[in-house]
Amino acid sequence: MEQLPEIGLAFGAFALGTLARKFLVLADVWAAFSRARRQAEHGDLELDSLSTRGGFKSRLLGRTFSVVSRPWHMYPLGFLFGLGFDMATEIGVLAISAPQATKERLSGRS
């Protein structure tokens, strides 16, 4: 229990880092829209190139994203995500209920 403040600090730092990255992306998009308003005939091309360029993860995992080449390829991927979320929820419920079950067993109550 003594490590909880450090764990909370780590999660908070991660959340603030994510927030900072989101603001940087927002600033880039805002600048692109501002330039598009000033240059109406060239703005669409710039916005298209900005949206298809992708971010850090897109460049890092570009080959992995090319595996999904048809719309129906998303169905098995969605199924796997669903299984993952279901498993995570199940583990969370078990983790929450385990201390209560242990306490009742130790005290002799049913």
Side-chain angles (χ1 to χ4, degrees):
M1 293 303 257
E2 295 174 6
Q3 295 175 344
L4 285 179
E6 289 84 10
I7 294 171
L9 180 65
F11 279 118
F14 177 77
L16 287 176
T18 302
L19 181 67
R21 286 191 307 271
K22 297 290 183 184
F23 274 121
L24 289 175
V25 170
L26 178 65
D28 285 345
V29 170
W30 186 268
F33 277 119
S34 296
R35 284 191 299 271
R37 265 188 275 156
R38 281 184 256 133
Q39 305 170 354
E41 66 276 356
H42 300 295
D44 291 338
L45 296 174
E46 182 181 354
L47 288 176
D48 286 341
S49 68
L50 181 66
S51 65
T52 58
R53 178 177 74 193
F56 173 73
K57 289 182 183 177
S58 298
R59 290 188 291 266
L60 183 68
L61 302 170
R63 288 183 161 194
T64 307
F65 292 152
S66 67
V67 171
V68 178
S69 59
R70 305 240 187 259
W72 68 269
H73 290 167
M74 289 301 293
Y75 289 113
L77 186 64
F79 179 73
L80 291 175
F81 270 103
L83 286 178
F85 286 126
D86 182 49
M87 182 66 73
T89 303
E90 211 171 306
I91 290 171
V93 168
L94 288 173
I96 290 170
S97 62
Q100 185 65 31
T102 305
K103 188 185 331 177
E104 287 179 3
R105 183 179 296 161
L106 291 176
S107 67
R109 294 184 305 190
S110 295

